[in-house]
Amino acid sequence: GNSVTQMEGPVTLSEEAFLTINCTYTATGYPSLFWYVQYPGEGLQLLLKATKADDKGSNKGFEATYRKETTSFHLEKGSVQVSDSAVYFCALSDWEYGNKLVFGAGTILRVKS
Amino acid sequence: DSGVTQTPKHLITATGQRVTLRCSPRSGDLSVYWYQQSLDQGLQFLIQYYNGEERAKGNILERFSAQQFPDLHSELNLSSLELGDSALYFCASSVGSGRETQYFGPGTRLLVL
C-alpha cells in the first residue's frame, strides 16, 4: 500500500539555521503531496502542497518540490525562527480510495534562540 | 482558523462507556473525514463521508461508527471504550471527494480511564 517515510526527530536547530526535513513516499499512481504542521496543543494546519511532478509548494518561507524520480518531497526553510517549533507531517493523498491522507510519523522541530 | 469545528475539545470517560464526537465542516464542503492520532499508531485515517454517504473506510474498529447528517455535520460514535482508544480524534473536510485539500479541525482529545 501507499506509505510515507519521514526523517526521525527531534531536529534541534538554532534560530536562523537552514532546515531540511526529508520525506519519501511509496505510491501507485500520482498522488498529491502535502506538508502539515501541528503547533503545541493545536490541530493540523496545511503548510503547503504540490499536485504533480516538479511542482514546488511554498508558504511562510517553507518550500518543497515534488520529485517523482526520487519519490521525495523534502521540506526546506532558509532561516528558521523559534516560532517554527512544531511537529511537521508529510502526507500523500490516496485518491484512488476516496481521498484519504496517508501520513508520515511526524518530525519534531525545536528551534532555540 | 480552518473553519472546521469539533466538539467537545476534551472528553474523559471510563472503560466500557460510549461517547459521541461531533464535527461541522467548512461552509460548502461536502466531504468529512475522521482521523485518529495516537502515540503508537500515529495519524490514521478512519472513515470518509461524502454528501451523507460513506465513501471510504480505513482502520476503523467495529466498535466505532460514524454518520453524516443532511446538514453535513458528522458524528463519530465510539463504544465499549478501552484504554487504548485514548487519542486525539481529528475531523477534516474538503469540497468534494477527489483530490481537494483537506482542512482539519482542532481535534477532540479523548482520555479513557
Side-chain angles (χ1 to χ4, degrees):
Chain A
N2 296 341
S3 65
V4 175
T5 303
Q6 283 181 242
M7 65 187 287
E8 286 193 26
V11 173
T12 303
L13 296 173
S14 297
E15 218 167 11
E16 300 184 3
F18 185 86
L19 168 71
T20 300
I21 299 178
N22 291 336
C23 170
T24 57
Y25 67 91
T26 302
T28 54
Y30 304 95
S32 294
L33 300 174
F34 305 85
W35 278 100
Y36 282 87
V37 58
Q38 186 175 27
Y39 296 102
E42 297 186 13
L44 293 168
Q45 297 178 28
L46 177 66
L47 183 58
L48 53 84
K49 68 175 184 179
T51 57
K52 61 183 187 298
D54 300 326
D55 265 3
K56 178 186 280 188
S58 61
N59 185 27
K60 299 180 182 179
F62 291 90
E63 292 183 340
T65 301
Y66 190 143
R67 302 282 188 204
K68 191 169 183 301
E69 63 276 11
T70 54
T71 62
S72 65
F73 193 54
H74 304 321
L75 182 68
E76 296 182 337
K77 187 176 185 185
S79 176
V80 294
Q81 305 300 313
V82 172
S83 58
D84 293 327
S85 299
V87 183
Y88 291 81
F89 292 91
C90 184
L92 65 81
S93 61
D94 190 344
W95 64 275
E96 291 179 342
Y97 187 64
N99 186 29
K100 76 173 189 177
L101 290 174
V102 176
F103 286 91
T107 301
I108 297 173
L109 171 65
R110 297 184 180 132
V111 181
K112 301 189 295 186
S113 58
Chain B
D1 185 355
S2 66
V4 179
T5 60
Q6 289 187 247
T7 56
K9 280 192 171 180
H10 302 278
L11 202 47
I12 301 174
T13 188
T15 55
Q17 294 298 304
R18 173 190 168 95
V19 298
T20 297
L21 313 183
R22 182 187 169 103
C23 168
S24 293
R26 295 185 321 157
S27 176
D29 284 0
L30 298 179
S31 269
V32 169
Y33 310 78
W34 286 97
Y35 292 85
Q36 180 193 59
Q37 184 180 31
S38 62
L39 283 175
D40 53 347
Q41 299 284 337
L43 266 162
Q44 298 277 323
F45 168 75
L46 295 178
I47 197 162
Q48 176 197 0
Y49 277 82
Y50 173 72
N51 204 20
E53 300 289 328
E54 182 182 303
R55 179 57 62 99
K57 213 168 197 179
N59 301 321
I60 188 166
L61 300 171
E62 284 191 14
R63 300 183 284 109
F64 295 1
S65 64
Q67 54 183 324
Q68 186 179 27
F69 295 86
D71 68 351
L72 301 177
H73 91 271
S74 177
E75 292 181 357
L76 178 67
N77 300 296
L78 315 177
S79 61
S80 302
L81 285 167
E82 302 175 0
L83 296 178
D85 297 327
S86 296
L88 193 50
Y89 291 85
F90 286 111
C91 167
S93 72
S94 67
V95 172
S97 63
R99 288 187 167 202
E100 298 87 4
T101 298
Q102 293 180 33
Y103 294 91
F104 282 74
T108 293
R109 187 170 294 280
L110 173 66
L111 181 59
V112 182
L113 300 176

